Each structure stands twice: as C-alpha cells, then as structure tokens.
Amino acid sequence: MAKQMINTPNLDELESGPWPSFVTGLKRLAKDNDMMVDLMGQLETSYETKFGYWKGGTVGVVGYGGGVIPRFTELKDENGKPKFPEAAEFHTLRIQPPAGMHYTSDLLRQMCDAWLETGGSGLIAFHGQSGDIMFQGIKTEDVQRSFDKFNEMGFDLGGAGPALRTSMSCVGAARCEMSCYDEARALRTVINNNLDDMHRPSLPYKFKFKFSGCPNDCVNAIQRSDMATIGTWRDNIRVNEGQVREYYNAKGMNTLVNDVISKCPSKAITLESAAKVDKSNAGLSVADLGDGNAMCIDNKNCVRCMHCLNVIPGGLLPGKDKGVTILVGGKGVLKIGATMGTVVIPFMKMESDEDFEKLNDLARNILDFFAENALEHERTGEMIERIGLVNFLEGLDIEVDPNMIVHPRTNPYVRTDGWDEEAEKWFERKQAAAA
Amino acid sequence: MAKQMINTPNLDELESGPWPSFVTGLKRLAKDNDMMVDLMGQLETSYETKFGYWKGGTVGVVGYGGGVIPRFTELKDENGKPKFPEAAEFHTLRIQPPAGMHYTSDLLRQMCDAWLETGGSGLIAFHGQSGDIMFQGIKTEDVQRSFDKFNEMGFDLGGAGPALRTSMSCVGAARCEMSCYDEARALRTVINNNLDDMHRPSLPYKFKFKFSGCPNDCVNAIQRSDMATIGTWRDNIRVNEGQVREYYNAKGMNTLVNDVISKCPSKAITLESAAKVDKSNAGLSVADLGDGNAMCIDNKNCVRCMHCLNVIPGGLLPGKDKGVTILVGGKGVLKIGATMGTVVIPFMKMESDEDFEKLNDLARNILDFFAENALEHERTGEMIERIGLVNFLEGLDIEVDPNMIVHPRTNPYVRTDGWDEEAEKWFERKQAAAA
Amino acid sequence: MAERTHETIESGAPDPMPYMHPVMKKNYGKWNFHSHPKPGVLYHRAESGDEIWTVKAGTQRQMDHYTVRKLADLADQFADGYVRFTTRSNIEYMVTDQAKVEPLIKALTDNGFPVGGTANSVSMVAHTQGWLHCDIPGTDASGVVKALMDDLYHDFVNCEMPNRVKLSTSCCEINCGGQADIAIIVQHTKPPKINHDLVANVCERPSVVARCPVAAIRPALVNGKPSLEVDEKKCICCGACFPPCPPMQINDPEHSKIAIWVGGKNSNARSRPTFHKLVAAGLPNNAPRWPEVGAVVKTILEAYKADGRPWERMNDWIDRIGWPAFFEKTGLPFTKYHIDNWRGGRNSLNASAHIRF
Amino acid sequence: MAERTHETIESGAPDPMPYMHPVMKKNYGKWNFHSHPKPGVLYHRAESGDEIWTVKAGTQRQMDHYTVRKLADLADQFADGYVRFTTRSNIEYMVTDQAKVEPLIKALTDNGFPVGGTANSVSMVAHTQGWLHCDIPGTDASGVVKALMDDLYHDFVNCEMPNRVKLSTSCCEINCGGQADIAIIVQHTKPPKINHDLVANVCERPSVVARCPVAAIRPALVNGKPSLEVDEKKCICCGACFPPCPPMQINDPEHSKIAIWVGGKNSNARSRPTFHKLVAAGLPNNAPRWPEVGAVVKTILEAYKADGRPWERMNDWIDRIGWPAFFEKTGLPFTKYHIDNWRGGRNSLNASAHIRF
Ligand code: SRM
Ligand code: SRM
Ligand code: SRM
Ligand code: SRM
Ligand code: SF4
Ligand code: SF4
Ligand code: SF4
Ligand code: SF4
Ligand code: SF4
Ligand code: SF4
Ligand code: SF4
Ligand code: SF4
C-alpha cells in the first residue's frame, strides 16, 4: 500500500484546464492504492504508445453468467510478466442504479464504502452509456464478495454479453411536465420480470430496453435500444392560455411565428383571427392571444413531435389520453450500419395495472421471438431487416397499421395474391372499431 | 381489300363515351384495309381471353440493327395457321420527330401519305413514351420501302433494343419563359452525334437522354432517362415588380403567404417590411409589394425548385446566368426497382458553341463508360448502384461536389487512408476558383 | 423486297425550326409571361410583346390517318398550319389572333376532340401498347385509357384540381407509362407457368436466370430436356423472366390483376421528385371497360380534389395529411402488402415517434 | 474465494422512490411548468404549486470515491441530501428553497464542478471507456473528453447556442457513445495486421468470418497453421473482426485516425430522428490533448452558433442552409469519402435538381 507513483507526463497534461480532471482523481486514489498506481502506469503507457493493453476473459459471480467486465493486462515484459502487476486484473462490476438515477447522499457514501471495503479501486463511473453504475477496478478474487455486498444493499448486477441489458428511463414523471407515463414503473416491470435473460446470457446477442416519457426522448431510446417505449398522447394538446399569453407578451408575434408556428413539421399550427376560430372543430386546440389573434393546433395533423410544447412550456401540454408508442430495432453500427427503432405499436395506454401487464407481455413476446429467430450476434434491427417487418409483426400477432410506415412501397416486388383476405381483415378491424 | 368486318362486341363498348375512340379509328381504317380487319379480330380475341398474342422476331432495314418493332401473331388455328392472317405481321416503325414535336399540317399529311403508300396500316401514334412517332402495322416485305420513303422526307428511325434511344425535349425555348437553354439544340447535338449507337445496337442495354428546360421537368427526364439535362440558373431570380404586384393585388396577402412563401421548400422567401430590406445583400431578389411589405428571396438558399416562379409567372423569372444540371441513372423498375437520376454535374453553362460541344463530349464519355463497364442488361442506374457513384465520377474525371448528395455518409464503412490527398484536391480547387 | 433506289441518310432527330410556328421561332428563348385564360387555353407573351394563344386538345394517340388529317385541316383553318404534340399526346394549336381561340375550340369540340388538359386539370393518361402491339402485356392500353378518360372527361375539360394531375397506365409491371400522380399498373399474382417443351429452343437460359430480381429461377432438366424451374416461395411474380423467355407465361386472365399507385412526381417543384406508392391492388382485369379501376381512381381524385390545398400535387397533399388519413379519406384498405419488404425497405418504415392520431 | 454468507437476491432495477427528493415524489407525474432561470439552473412547478430548482453540474464521470463523497456532502449541505445523475453524467441537485440556489452554485464552482449543461449549452460529452478499460480501443475516452470539455467550458456554463448541443466520443468505430450533434469517433484506415501464430488458439474462425460486414475474411492456412486471411481490397477497416479475434490487430498508433460526424439527433422535435454524418476524418490520434480534434469541433460549433436560428439543432441548421454551405462556412474539405457507397447509399445521393448556388 505504498507503491511509488509512476511518472505520468502525458496524463499530467490532463490535470490542467477548468473541467474536472479524472487524472487528479486517479492520483488521489493512487496515493494509498497500489492498483491505481499501476493502472496509471499502464494508462500512461497507452498514451505513449497509443495502444490499449486489456484483454477480456471470464470472471463472474455465482449463479450469474454476466454483469462483470473482466480485464486482464497484456502489457508484459520479455518474461511474460505484467509490467504493472497490481493492475493486472482490473475488472468492472456493472450495477443497476435506481430507475431514473436518483440517489441520496447516504446511498452514494454507502456505495463508496462498500466498494472500498471489498477490494475495489475506489473508481466509480456514474454512469455507463447503458445506464449502469460502473465500479471499475477489482481483482478476480474480490469480485464475489464485492457483489455480495452490493446485493445485500439491494443492488443487482446489470447485463453484459448476449443478454438483456441494463435499462434507462428519463427523469420523466419525477420532474417533467412532458412525461406521459410512469417511466420508472415501466422500466422495472419489464426488466425485473426478465432478469433471467440478464443474468444468464443466452440470447442471440444483446437486447436493450429504454424508456422515455415523451418524444423528446431524453434517453435516446429510439436509436440506442432494441425496444423503445416512448410516451405520447392521442387527444388534444392541452392549452394553458395564461401561460401562452405570458410567452406571447414577452416574445411578440415574430418570435411566435418563427419559433413556433413555422417550425411545426406538419404545419398543424396556424394563426387565426380569434373571432373566426372554428369552435365546432373538436380536434382544435386554441390559445386566444388576447389581441384578436389566436393560435390554433389541428390535433388531427399534429405528429406529437413536442416542438411547440418545448417552446411554450406549461402553455402547451400533452393531452390527457396518454400512453406510449413502441419502436423496435434501434442499435449501433455493426454490421449493417446504425439503425433507428421503427414503430410496431403506434399507441398503447399506460396507466392501469393491466396496461403495464400488457407491456410486460409484449416485451416478453419480443424477447422470445428474438431468442427463437435471430441468428447468432444478430440484433433485432438486423433480424427485422432480414425477415421483414411483416413477418416480425405476424410472429407477434400485431396488426399492420399505416403509422408503421413513412409511405407505402414504391416497388412492385411482392406477391399479392392474398390481397382480398388482407383487405377483409382491415375492413373487419375498422368495423369492429366503429362498433 | 374488302374483307368482311369481324364482330367485335367488346371493342364496340369502347366507342361510347366522350373521349376520342381509337376503336372508331380502327373501324374506319378497316373499311378498306384487310390488315386492320384482322387486327381488330385479334384484338377482340384478346379482349375475350384476356391474353396477348404477339411475339417478337427480327425485322429491320438495311444497315440498321434497330428501330423497327417486329410483331408476329401467335393466334393460330389447330394447323398452326394464323387465325387472322392479314395481321399476322404487324410491325411498328419508330420514327424520330422534330425535337419538341413541332409539325406543320403539311408534314402531318405527308406522313399519312407516305405511310399509306408504302403499305402501312394507316395507324399512327403521336407519340410513344420515349418520343417516337410510331407507325404501327406493316408487313416485313414493306418495311424497307416505308423507311426509305420517310428517310427521303428527312426522317430517321429511332432506337430499340440495347441502343441509344429516341430522345425528348420539352417545348421550352419555343414557348416557355422558364426555359434556361436551347433544349432542341442540346437534343440534336447529343443524339445526332451518337447515331451509330442508336442504329447499330451494341450497348449493354438501352440508354436514354432527355432534356427539360427547367426543373419543372416537363419530359420527366429525371426518372425516365439515363442522362437528364435539366435547365437551371446560378444568379438571382429576376423580378418583374409590376407583374408581382398584379398577382398580389389580385390574390391578396393570405394567398401570397399560403401559396408562395410557406411552400418554398428551403424557406428562402420571406416577407419583410419594405423599409427594412437589406439593400446591401447582393443575393436578395426583392419585390416591393407597394403596401409597405416586400417579398424577398434569399438566392443563396433557393434550391431552384421553380415553385414560386410557377405561381407568379412573369413576376419571377429564372436568372440570367443560365445553364444545366445533369443527372445520371434514371430508369424503370427492372431489376432493382425504379431509380431517379442523381446529380453528376451541378451546373454547366449552355450558351456558346463550346458549351454544347462540352455537353456532347460529356454525353459521349458517359456512353463510352457505360459501354465498357455495364454488365449485360444493366442500366446506368444499376451500374452506378453496383460500382458506386465515386467510381463512376472518377471514370469520367468529374470532381466530387456536395451538391451531388443529400447528406454525407452516415456509416463508417469506408477506407479513408487517402483523406489528406483528397482534402488537398478540394483546397486546390477552391483556391483555383477563388483566384 | 424490290430494289432500293434510296441510300439511307442517317439524319437523326430533325431540326424543328421548319415546322415551328413563326411567332415561336421569332421569340425563341425570349418568352416572359404565361397565363391560363381558361381550361384548354394557354397565353404566352414574349419580351418583344408578341403574344400567342395555345389551344390544347385530347386525342386517342393511336390515330387512324383520317383523324390525323382532320387535325391537320383544323390547323390550316384556324392556326396558320402549325401544331405540336405534348409529352402526353395532347395536340396544341398556336394562334396569334385571340379572335380565333373560340372558333378553334368549337371546331375541335365539334369534331370530338375535348379541349382541356392544361393547368389544374387531369391531363391525358401516359399511354402504352397493350394487346394492340406489345408482346408481353397483361392487359390492354388504349382501351384502359379510353375507358378512364371517358370517366375523367369532366376533369380534363375543367381545371378544378388543386394542381396538375398526371396519370399513367402500364400493361405490365415494367411500367413504360412511368411515375405518376396516379398510376394503373398490371400486377401479376402467380408465378409463371412454364411450357417446358419450348424452353430449350426459345430461351437463353443463363440470361433468363440472370433477369430474376430474387434469384428464383434455376436451370433444371424436366422430362429429360433442359428447362428452367421456379422456386415459387421466392418468386414475386414480377414477370421479368417472360420477355426473354416467352414459355414462362406470366399472364393469366384471372391472376394478372391491376394495382393502383399514387403520389409519383417528376417535377422538382416544392418537394424533391418522388416515386409513386402502392395503394390498391387485386383489381380484376375487367375488359372492355375496367369499371373497378375507374372507381378507385375516381375515389382518390375526389378525396384529393376535396381536401388538397392550392398547388399541392397528390404527393404534397398526402405528405401534409399523412398516410393514415389517406387511407381513411379514400376508404381503401391498408394491408401488409403496403409495407415494403424489398431491398432498402427499411427506409420507408416509420423510424420516429411522429404519429397522427 | 472466502466462504459466502450471502445468498444472491435477483433484485434487478431498484425502486427509485426511497432515493427521490420528497417534492419530486409528492408531485410524481403532476408537473406542469418549467423554465430556465439561468445557465445550469432549471425551475419546475407542479400542479400543486410546489416548486423545485435544479442545479446541474459537470463531473468527470470516472470519479474517485473522494469526488463522490464531496458531491454527497454538497447534497447534504444544500439540497436536502438528494441528487440524481443525468443521462450524460451530469449531477443534478434539487432544492425547494430558491435562496439555496446561489450558494449551491458557488459551492459547486468552488469545488471545481462547473455549473451548466442545461438548455442551449453544450452538455457533457457522452463518454466511453478507452484505454482505461476497454479491450479494443483505438484511443482514450476520459482523456479526450477532458480535453474537449476544457475547450468547450465556456459553452457548458453558458447557454448561447441555438439549441441544445449533444456531443459524443467513441474510442472505436463501434460507437458506444452514440448518435450526436457532434460525434468524435476513431476511424481506422488500414486493414488489421494478423498475428497468424495466435489465430488458431484464440479465435473461433467461422464466427470471425461471419462478423465482417463486407465478407473480406476467409479461412486460410498460413505456415501450415489454420488462420485467417483478409482481402485488403475489400476491407473497409471497420475493426469488427478485432473483438472476436484479438490477433487481428486493427489499432495502429499512426493509422487509427479520428473522424468527426455531425447532425445526429434522437429527439423527435421538429424533424424525425436522424443519424450523424461524416464531415471530417484523418485527424491524428494526438494524445494527451488531441488539439486537432478540438479545433475542428470548435470550428463547427462556432459556425453553428453564428448562423443557427433559435431552436435549430445542428441537423436543422444544416438542413436549412444545405451541405454545400456547411462545408463553406466551416472551411472543411469535401471529399469522395463523404459520398456514401455502403448498401442503400443511393438514398443519400441528390436525386433532384434541388441545388443551391
Ligand atoms: C461501458 C460502455 C461504454 C461506457 O463507457 O459507457 C460500453 C463498453 C463496451 N461496449 Fe458498448 N458500451 C456501452 C454502451 C453502449 C451503447 C449505448 C447504450 O447502451 O445506450 C451502445 C449503442 C447502442 C447499441 O446497443 O447498439 C453500445 C454499442 C456496442 C456495440 C455495438 C452493438 C451493435 O449492434 O452495433 C458493441 C460490440 C458488440 O457488442 O459486439 C459494444 C461492445 C462494448 C464492449 C463490450 C467492447 C467489446 O466488445 O469488448 C465495451 C466494454 C468496455 C469496458 O471495458 O467496459 N458496444 N455500447 C457502455 C456500457 C456501460 C453500461 O453498462 O452502462
Ligand atoms: C412503345 C412504348 C410504350 C408506348 O406505347 O409508348 C414501350 C414499349 C415497350 N417497352 Fe418500354 N416502351 C416505351 C417507353 C418506355 C419508357 C418511357 C420513356 O422512354 O420515357 C420506359 C421507362 C423509362 C426507362 O427507360 O426505364 C420504358 C421501360 C421499359 C422497360 C424497363 C426498363 C428498365 O430498365 O426497367 C422495358 C424492358 C426491357 O427493356 O427489357 C421495356 C420494353 C418495352 C418493350 C420493348 C417490351 C419488350 O421487352 O418486348 C415494349 C414494346 C412494345 C411495342 O410493341 O411497341 N420498356 N419503356 C414506349 C416507347 C415508344 C417510343 O419509342 O417512343
Ligand atoms: C406542353 C408540356 C411540355 C411539352 O413539351 O409537351 C408542358 C407545358 C407546360 N408546363 Fe409542364 N408541360 C408538360 C408536361 C409536364 C410534365 C410531364 C408529364 O406530363 O408527364 C410534368 C411533370 C409532372 C410530374 O411531376 O410528374 C410537368 C410539370 C409542370 C409543372 C410542375 C407542377 C408541379 O407543381 O409539380 C409546371 C409548373 C406549373 O404548373 O406552373 C409546369 C408548367 C408548364 C407550363 C405552364 C410552362 C409554361 O410556362 O408554358 C406549360 C403549361 C401547359 C399546360 O398545359 O398547362 N409543368 N409538365 C407538357 C404537357 C403535357 C400534357 O399535355 O399534359
Ligand atoms: C436531465 C435529462 C433527462 C434525464 O433523465 O437525465 C433531460 C432533461 C430535460 N430535457 Fe432532455 N434531458 C436529458 C437528455 C436529453 C437527450 C439525450 C442526450 O443528452 O443524449 C436528448 C436527445 C438529444 C438528441 O436529440 O439526440 C434530449 C432532448 C431534449 C429535447 C429536444 C431538443 C430538440 O429540440 O431537439 C428537449 C426539449 C427542449 O429543449 O425544450 C428536452 C427537454 C428537457 C427538459 C426541459 C424537460 C423538462 O421539462 O424538464 C429537461 C431540461 C434539462 C436541461 O438540463 O435543460 N430534452 N434530452 C437529460 C440531461 C442530459 C444532460 O445532462 O445533458
Ligand atoms: S423524455 Fe420527455 S418526459 Fe422524459 S425527461 Fe425528456 S422531456 Fe421529460
Ligand atoms: S407537437 Fe404537434 S403541433 Fe406542436 S409542433 Fe409538433 S407536430 Fe406541430
Ligand atoms: S420543363 Fe420548364 S422550360 Fe420546359 S416546358 Fe416545362 S416549364 Fe417550360
Ligand atoms: S424557386 Fe427558390 S425561392 Fe422559389 S420556391 Fe423554389 S426554392 Fe423557394
Ligand atoms: S408496359 Fe409492359 S406490356 Fe405495356 S408496352 Fe410496356 S413493356 Fe409492353
Ligand atoms: S416472375 Fe419474376 S420473380 Fe418470378 S421467377 Fe420470373 S423473374 Fe423471378
Ligand atoms: S467505443 Fe469501442 S473502444 Fe470505446 S468503449 Fe465502446 S467498444 Fe470500447
Ligand atoms: S476490419 Fe472490418 S472489413 Fe476489414 S476484415 Fe475486419 S471486419 Fe472485415
């Protein structure tokens, strides 16, 4: 516990400047932690040679197949001995945070204590890009007891490998007026009912759920998750006229036109003479501006993009008939290029216990379909690209809907001999809905 | 010459109704033309059985490999004899019209005469979708003399098969204020310098040129031709203020806003207070509306879509620095789905003899590249899809330009080790342009 | 063949100048205004102040020479002996004397040529060959067009649409008719039936195999003879194998259906050019008047006419209201076939939470 | 391993309620207004009238426990003992007493935590692992981010941008950092160098072959041993073969370069979500402070700041001005590498005559 600090001229360069320096943090740890001394040695070497020196391996805890990211050094001397032996093992525990990433100061301190007590390096990342707390730097021999400690505190490992991954939900209902459902509940319903797939990786490849309270999508669900649950609403945008006028009086007509009206992607907002507003149109949200003008939103044509609500917060609010849109297939760049999730459920209520149960069923069905139909190392986005969205929908017993597409096909490359039956299905659904 | 008319109950149904009836025309011809009697017999059969009965073959004129579409009947009796023997051969001559499809009444009559004199059926289509006059219905034995007759009159066969095809140009300069170049001259320059490829088919597949005077693209060049030449301009939209005011006074502010300003795809048009117009901005086209307002077009941001010029004809006109944009690769649905042409030359002047010479060279180079690099039965659009636009450009020695794309690549799947050299090329071009 | 006395002159595309109306020639490239005085009539003015009125009329395209001569005679009587044809087989008469416009309209109308097709009308359908001349058609062309234009006559001779409407029909999936606001195209629904006896003699097998977009064809020995075999699970019934190999009969009186596509646009006005999209299929090939096709086309046109805003082409209208509303307003069914599963189909999926309720 | 006394409880994602600020808990799902009183500060009001101020500060994400404890102490001193972390590793303190806002800001600032990252600021860079922990990185992560945020400090603590700016960095082409307004990502420029002696023992060859997006890898015998071979003409240097087969070394101090991408957007506000696009590449991996990268990022941000209109995200701005103007305003070179040649690349070509001059 008193290894000499290694010279780190490169890293030292990262101590200057106004942004908090992780190097300063590493040094602080290294003062009484040999692992960190050597970690800095290896990192400094990387800065010199521009090479990384870690390799993976197999390290885990009893009963689980994932959740620990094992790292063994490859930086060795001519005899095959690690150059920085104290950091020769430098594993990470991925621990799932409370949904929404809320902490008390006590919890933070308890976590620090637990980490140090069980052999951890003292380095913690809040958070990884998937949403885990990453406790970084522990030897193989300490992994189990460290996990046990966190588990006793009520915390569990997250995902790694071909498994269900740790999830994220936005701050949402806890502090945001845009929130259209209880994001934390949805996250916990879906994740905690499928922990087997997280802890014992046996999916074709990783699978991520993410939960955003509204289409602003503050957790990047559409692009970074296999199944994105995004809040939305079906009825009219709510108007708080007082708040709208406050905005209008402060900003003026030009700003209203340039920043709000003309930026609506579907031209659903118009400026009307207040006297002429069509009061019989039940689909209209109207804010009388108090000067003879009125701002009108044609909700039939609003695509729930959030822009106008963002610009006039509190003045325009999501409707009351809230729920979620579900998109499947977002993922990173391997092997077909990055993909966005695409709509598979245009709308689903998310209020009652049954609603959450339905979400849970859907999530489970999608996981099952993925498990059965994806090739090895194939994400949902790639699977759908390969088998076609329609086959995916049919496998899940989901009916087609024009909201799933930007436009119908532009090519005739399809065999349409079932047209009449398919048309019949549509008409029956329409009739049933009307009845 | 007095074959009895055949009963055609199906075709007869097409004599009623207000639109001119081709059936009435066929009957008129059949009165003294046995080929047309039998043609109607075969056509009526098709209407009954819902089957076509033509097959192709090889029929041509001396020295040419294309331009005649041969048709032999397949509607035969049990002995293999044609059921309608007089129409057993029913070929079409594709004749190129004057560019822009201008005719004198005399020419029309001369064409009718020539057609009848040389054994033609009397049926003529003005025009085929590629732009040919189609003289339809002639026997093999009459094809040569019929062609000779037309050729003597100054007309030539068009294209068919894996060849350069007959071209089309819009009415353009002849009667349209949107026209940005001499479309007919461009057509004749390009086509008439490459007739060998039209008359002796030896390209990998068909190749079409089309010429539109402006981005309204009245000949559908972008989608229906391998090389589309579309007029455009680089400088400011010209304003005829009087004409704009006439429009404004007739239609009012609402219409100006809804029909013109808010429909500009790049929001290049704004309504300004006339007093505040930035007179120092050389890139602004301004129409003072006479009531304190001014309509301003930011030409740097105008994408030359034509919309505002269309709505206020004469009030807004193309600039004076005119030329063409060239797009390559438009084609029909085989085998990868329909494609649009894509920009390969954002701008090229088209005024002087040298300009037309350059166009001619470009066309020839593209034909040559196509001939050498396309697979059999592969159109330019498919070839570019296969080899990549950049390889096509490099083959033609055309420099890359951001106007060729909607956006840069979204995937990292490219080997970029020549980055510095390529960047250098760009800087050199920029410097040269600035000098 | 009789002896030739003529030697071919490869003259190519003729110079239009000898056939062009003198006022158009004089003001070539120097026009600066146009307007639409009434349906079927255009007015153009040149920088010189010269004026010209164009009267536009529909034809059957596939014309007997009597019709052509009649059109020529009318040119002599009213229009200085000059005409031109448009890219859509309409004929245009140019007159420099405004007084001749109405008499010309009357003469054309009296002779059965509808005057219209300009501005916000439904212009003539882009026309193909069909049973009259093509070797691969699934339906007729001239007949389909005649039946349709009878139905749409009112909208040809009037300008009541939000913007121009361009239609096309195509007698096979190859689609010589092109992209259009509304396109009517044969859509086969069963794989080709192969006459194995003929394949060996008639078809170059490797090139047929190469034509199939989904690689569903493979060479095979059938009854000891070299022939071809189609994997019917893969086959998308496009008919691309039929032209190079007529024994692969794709046409079927029952199963060659008709599909309707909307929103194609070649012009760059406002939005970028865009392809037409499938909206209806499975319509019967019901010669001689295809009433089911006409009914769907009219339904779509009526919805567009009622709801489109000025200057919105079909695609602009649908872009604004959204596809769910299109299917709602037209009453057409939405099916799994509308969802693209061809290469790159992912681009047409809704990769956003943008949804209309 | 010592004997375990604990039996695992598969507890999963914990309930946040015990750790949530009481006012947030009380008004859960019932907020109805927010505003941005100043950079780094949010104000939220609930239907009940309850108010809460949030003070947001940047952290180094990879924190030593001393830093974490310091943050916890500040929570106790000023914010009732509650904090949360954002999706971008910023820390948020919630206070119900407006009077505590300024003291908290001061305390944070004094302790080296920059207050900002809200509204139209440049928020913290989405962070990855780099040389510190990943097994495949081409560069560092924490160091790159530290260097960048030093450069962008002013724009973190101020809100002077047209809209929010979200950055990401990724230490290999896999891009764990995700889509962003500006993304900084390693881009390899040479095919992997294969250590043939190791392949047989370390790599499952068929699965490595399957990983390559361009099928450039094939099994081969090298020096009599089973190994792999790369077709260097095909290889696009993506590095996807390296994780499953470490002997296929893709990282290279010289040839692993850095590329810059712009205009990625996950939000549905206004335009649909969209991917970031390559704008610059070939930048050197110049540890410890990557000045060339910082310079390009700053150039882009300055152009955006100067020219973007209110509420335009990076992609909205470029959509409006067009890519030619983007390259002009930033002075970045346009090269053939910008033109997509990957599957579906045709969709990014300009299939229109829409051009800005
Ligand atoms: C730690 C983390 C970066 C960080 O510092 O925050 C990370 C680190 C790694 N990612 Fe990642 N990814 C992390 C979030 C992401 C995300 C973002 C997200 O989850 O929202 C993505 C993009 C979204 C997605 O899932 O596609 C992401 C896309 C990938 C991919 C590409 C997957 C694809 O389909 O394209 C790989 C490669 C693979 O899995 O084979 C990958 C692989 C890896 C590996 C396991 C590298 C490897 O194959 O050996 C890295 C381990 C580093 C380490 O030593 O800890 N990582 N990775 C993030 C996880 C922390 C956490 O648990 O909270
Ligand atoms: C006659 C005409 C339709 C008409 O009635 O107007 C026509 C008729 C035929 N077209 Fe076409 N195409 C005609 C214009 C077009 C156009 C429109 C155009 O040129 O602007 C297209 C779409 C644009 C394009 O070039 O892609 C067109 C796309 C095709 C294709 C699909 C090509 C592709 O790459 O997808 C084929 C199939 C082929 O070439 O193998 C084809 C093939 C044919 C054939 C030769 C059928 C065949 O393979 O045996 C047809 C001969 C019919 C006949 O008996 O005369 N035709 N064809 C048009 C030519 C008349 C003329 O010379 O003026
Ligand atoms: C005569 C003709 C050119 C020719 O060389 O034959 C022509 C002539 C004119 N076109 Fe066209 N267009 C002609 C085919 C087209 C086509 C091609 C087609 O019909 O397949 C298009 C592209 C259609 C598409 O997008 O697929 C076309 C898209 C336009 C547009 C753009 C409309 C839009 O908003 O999208 C304009 C602008 C306008 O409407 O003011 C235009 C405008 C005009 C003007 C007003 C130009 C002018 O200033 O003279 C002419 C009015 C004619 C009229 O009848 O109203 N023309 N125009 C063609 C008449 C065809 C017909 O008989 O119907
Ligand atoms: C705290 C946080 C959610 C969380 O659970 O942690 C959050 C919180 C808020 N976001 Fe967010 N967003 C947060 C990440 C995001 C992300 C994801 C990301 O950062 O990668 C996005 C998507 C970015 C993208 O498109 O790629 C995001 C896109 C938005 C937008 C849409 C902006 C736009 O116009 O495109 C809004 C609307 C707005 O700006 O009014 C928004 C609005 C808001 C509001 C105003 C919501 C509210 O009423 O409270 C919050 C203001 C926070 C602030 O600091 O200004 N938030 N927001 C995240 C803070 C991250 C950070 O520290 O910077
Ligand atoms: S996604 Fe919507 S609900 Fe969630 S924090 Fe962001 S703005 Fe609020
Ligand atoms: S939320 Fe609806 S009305 Fe508001 S800007 Fe977006 S689409 Fe337009
Ligand atoms: S393409 Fe342009 S120039 Fe040619 S006729 Fe049409 S509007 Fe006139
Ligand atoms: S021509 Fe230019 S200014 Fe006019 S509408 Fe089109 S893009 Fe806008
Ligand atoms: S569309 Fe098909 S059937 Fe009709 S003319 Fe063209 S190739 Fe022949
Ligand atoms: S019809 Fe089309 S898909 Fe079917 S075998 Fe023939 S070419 Fe292939
Ligand atoms: S971006 Fe690449 S190198 Fe960086 S953490 Fe992710 S997988 Fe590792
Ligand atoms: S670097 Fe990428 S492209 Fe090259 S061999 Fe490896 S996986 Fe294939």
Side-chain angles (χ1 to χ4, degrees), chain B residues 170-172 176 178-179 183 212-214 216-218:
Chain B
C170 69
V171 62
C176 181
M178 313 298 187
S179 170
E183 304 85 0
S212 276
C214 80
N216 279 328
D217 196 0
C218 292

Side-chain angles (χ1 to χ4, degrees), chain D residues 128-130 134-138 170-177:
Chain D
T128 52
Q129 291 291 340
C134 195
D135 53 345
I136 55 175
S170 290
C171 19
C172 80
E173 286 190 38
I174 279 178
N175 187 27
C176 296

Side-chain angles (χ1 to χ4, degrees), chain B residues 233 237 264-266 268-269 297 302-309:
Chain B
W233 66 96
I237 287 177
C264 170
S266 55
I269 317 183
I297 302 175
C302 160
V303 294
R304 279 64 180 169
C305 85
M306 297 303 296
H307 174 74
C308 61
L309 290 79

Side-chain angles (χ1 to χ4, degrees), chain C residues 128-130 134-139 169-177:
Chain C
T128 52
Q129 291 291 341
C134 195
D135 54 345
I136 54 175
T139 188
T169 63
S170 290
C171 18
C172 81
E173 286 190 36
I174 279 179
N175 187 27
C176 297

Side-chain angles (χ1 to χ4, degrees), chain D residues 56-135:
Chain D
K56 185 167 168 182
T59 77
Q60 62 271 58
R61 188 178 86 143
Q62 243 90 7
M63 290 181 276
D64 56 295
H65 69 97
Y66 301 105
T67 299
V68 177
R69 289 177 206 271
K70 168 56 70 183
L71 291 169
D73 292 347
L74 291 172
D76 287 339
Q77 281 173 261
F78 297 94
D80 312 325
Y82 294 90
V83 302
R84 67 176 294 276
F85 287 92
T86 73
T87 50
R88 299 199 149 251
S89 305
N90 291 310
I91 191 164
E92 292 180 336
Y93 292 86
M94 276 65 61
V95 311
T96 46
D97 178 359
Q98 190 176 3
K100 289 192 179 156
V101 169
E102 289 301 331
L104 173 54
I105 292 178
K106 184 169 182 325
L108 281 163
T109 310
D110 289 349
N111 281 285
F113 301 106
V115 171
T118 58
N120 296 356
S121 64
V122 177
S123 186
M124 168 64 162
V125 182
H127 206 304
T128 52
Q129 291 291 340
W131 291 324
L132 184 74
H133 200 269
C134 195
D135 53 345

Side-chain angles (χ1 to χ4, degrees), chain A residues 283-303:
Chain A
L284 222 54
S285 296
V286 181
D288 190 318
L289 300 174
D291 65 348
N293 290 306
M295 182 177 77
C296 297
I297 301 175
D298 169 13
N299 288 284
K300 268 299 271 183
N301 201 32
C302 160
V303 294

Side-chain angles (χ1 to χ4, degrees), chain C residues 128-289:
Chain C
T128 52
Q129 291 291 341
W131 290 325
L132 184 75
H133 200 270
C134 195
D135 54 345
I136 54 175
T139 188
D140 198 29
S142 323
V144 175
V145 169
K146 158 72 178 152
L148 263 175
M149 291 310 295
D150 279 345
D151 268 11
L152 303 176
Y153 186 86
H154 174 88
D155 285 311
F156 181 86
V157 301
N158 287 284
C159 297
E160 298 168 351
M161 291 289 162
N163 195 341
R164 299 170 187 284
V165 180
K166 309 285 191 176
L167 269 56
S168 74
T169 63
S170 290
C171 18
C172 81
E173 286 190 36
I174 279 179
N175 187 27
C176 297
Q179 300 292 316
D181 290 302
I182 306 183
I184 294 128
I185 311 179
V186 162
Q187 178 92 18
H188 309 292
T189 63
K190 298 284 180 201
K193 284 189 202 125
I194 308 181
N195 184 336
H196 293 288
D197 293 338
L198 298 180
V199 171
N201 296 330
V202 178
C203 314
E204 210 192 300
R205 296 191 304 155
S207 85
V208 180
V209 168
R211 293 279 177 96
C212 178
V214 292
I217 311 176
R218 51 176 175 250
L221 277 185
V222 181
N223 303 331
K225 280 193 218 160
S227 185
L228 296 163
E229 208 169 63
V230 169
D231 179 343
E232 304 210 345
K233 283 248 179 297
K234 274 191 180 175
C235 172
I236 45 167
C237 314
C238 68
C241 45
F242 180 51
C245 183
M248 297 184 73
Q249 182 57 261
I250 188 74
N251 290 307
D252 182 289
E254 176 67 20
H255 300 299
S256 290
K257 302 281 190 181
I258 290 175
I260 294 183
W261 304 69
V262 311
K265 170 167 167 290
N266 297 283
S267 154
N268 288 276
R270 299 169 305 284
S271 47
R272 290 198 175 85
T274 166
F275 298 107
H276 52 220
K277 287 100 193 164
L278 179 73
V279 294
L283 299 170
N285 187 8
N286 201 354
R289 293 201 67 101

